Amino acid sequence: MTSHEERFQALIDSEEKIESTDWMPDGYRATLIRQIAQHAHSEVIGMQPEGNWITRAPSLDRKAILMAKVQDEAGHGLYLYSATETLGVTRDEVVELLHQGKHKYSSIFNYPTLSWADMGTIGWLVDGAAITNQVMLTRCSYGPYSRAMVRICKEESFHQRQGYEILLALCRGTDEQKAMAQDSVNRWWWPSLMMFGPHDSASTHSEQSMNWKIKRVSNDDLRQQFVDMTVPQADYLGLTLPDPDLQWNEERGHYDFGSIDWDEFWQVVKGNGPMNRERLSHKIKAWDDGAWVREAAAAHAAKQARKKEVA
Ligand code: FAQ
């Protein structure tokens, strides 16, 4: 081991954070760029399914809350792109990779939002799964990522509560409203479980990422945590999770659940999900439409810099 490697390993072993100015192995840097950029892209693309309902929210209050949530997701994307930049790549570079289809984003955002109840279910299940994953990332060994996660988790908790509250209102409403909530949960349950990624045995990066303390809990353990947390919440709503194999296992102290359709997962990850094409083309259009804003901001910054030089 070189002295650089020894110091890096000592920091990891003693649970201290790696900072952008510290030496780090190339693989550690590349893994972080991949994961954090993918996470940032997910936050930004994740605005689309809910953005679809802003104009159709059932009341002014619901509309204001939904708009605030969608704006929070944009903010999360920005903190995460900033965290990626601390590793030596620019935001433009990673955004370009996303647009070329060379970077991934979370599979979950490739499903359509068909009813208002989906706003509740996304908050409850999708944000719920995101928090389960992100709470462990607050303990990630890379300082800028772990610190971004602390703030993001606080906001995601509010998102989850607002989603649950939408579903609670629907479940206490008319039979039709309750049926709408049930239909929504039927569609989002399995894709939410897929968010945690492939089984540990099929996860290419987990072992190394756990050794580097980038990931602190495995994909399967997080998925189990999420199921255990969510089943009682579904009971309280009076909704049925669409899995006949779901049952409490006294011996394990966890819920058993059925098998995930991994073919569906990989199809979605490869770009063949119900909404992949629409999501990416909408993202590229929004980026192109916003070019004038970026140009104006750059021109303004250059002007301010010239002013400073003259003064
Ligand atoms: N979708 O070896 P692993 C949110 C890929 S934020 C697509 O296990 P890893 C907020 C993976 O990249 C949601 N691809 O990978 C919100 C790899 O492919 P690669 C996003 C997936 O990285 C809420 C391959 O499969 N959260 O929801 C997925 O060790 C509501 C093998 O997998 C994050 O990104 C997937 N679900 O573990 C916004 C959290 N799973 O790159 C709006 C940070 C796996 O080799 C509304 N990320 N793949 O080509 C992570 O914690 C990890 O990256 C995992 C995957 C756990 C997602």
Side-chain angles (χ1 to χ4, degrees), residues 108-308:
I108 193 73
F109 302 117
N110 293 304
Y111 292 86
T113 41
L114 304 179
S115 72
W116 170 252
D118 288 359
M119 300 305 98
T121 309
I122 288 180
W124 175 41
L125 296 182
V126 176
D127 284 277
I131 300 170
T132 308
N133 171 273
Q134 288 168 182
V135 165
M136 72 109 178
L137 291 174
T138 61
R139 293 189 295 116
C140 167
S141 57
Y142 188 56
Y145 191 30
S146 77
R147 289 188 289 272
M149 281 299 118
V150 173
R151 174 154 177 193
I152 291 179
C153 282
K154 286 188 181 149
E155 293 176 354
E156 301 287 25
S157 304
F158 149 72
H159 296 169
Q160 197 211 12
R161 293 297 293 268
Q162 69 83 38
Y164 195 74
E165 201 269 327
I166 290 176
L167 288 180
L168 207 52
L170 292 175
C171 291
R172 287 176 179 167
T174 62
D175 288 350
E176 240 182 328
Q177 286 173 316
K178 188 160 182 195
M180 191 202 287
Q182 182 63 60
D183 167 69
S184 173
V185 168
N186 291 348
R187 286 181 287 107
W188 290 90
W189 173 247
W190 290 105
S192 299
L193 296 190
M194 293 175 195
M195 284 176 73
F196 295 94
H199 276 316
D200 294 348
S201 54
S203 162
T204 32
H205 304 289
S206 276
E207 194 183 343
Q208 181 62 75
S209 289
M210 301 271 283
N211 287 341
W212 277 327
K213 299 185 181 170
I214 292 174
K215 283 166 87 166
R216 308 301 305 251
V217 184
S218 80
N219 297 359
D220 284 329
D221 287 351
L222 285 173
R223 190 166 14 244
Q224 182 72 60
Q225 241 181 58
F226 174 71
V227 172
D228 291 347
M229 173 186 86
T230 308
V231 174
Q233 296 173 354
D235 286 346
Y236 187 75
L237 288 170
L239 294 176
T240 308
L241 296 171
D243 178 358
D245 296 324
L246 192 64
Q247 59 176 340
W248 180 250
N249 182 325
E250 195 65 51
E251 241 170 69
R252 291 201 313 122
H254 292 291
Y255 282 92
D256 288 336
F257 55 98
S259 332
I260 290 171
D261 182 346
W262 293 111
D263 278 349
E264 175 181 326
F265 172 74
W266 289 115
Q267 280 302 321
V268 175
V269 170
K270 284 181 193 146
N272 303 320
M275 297 296 284
N276 291 64
R277 281 169 199 80
E278 287 82 350
R279 295 292 185 241
L280 199 57
S281 62
H282 186 82
K283 169 71 183 66
I284 294 170
K285 183 178 181 307
W287 180 259
D288 291 345
D289 289 350
W292 69 272
V293 179
R294 293 190 297 279
E295 281 158 20
H300 179 70
K303 198 170 158 193
Q304 293 300 103
R306 271 200 304 277
K307 261 194 200 164
K308 258 196 193 155

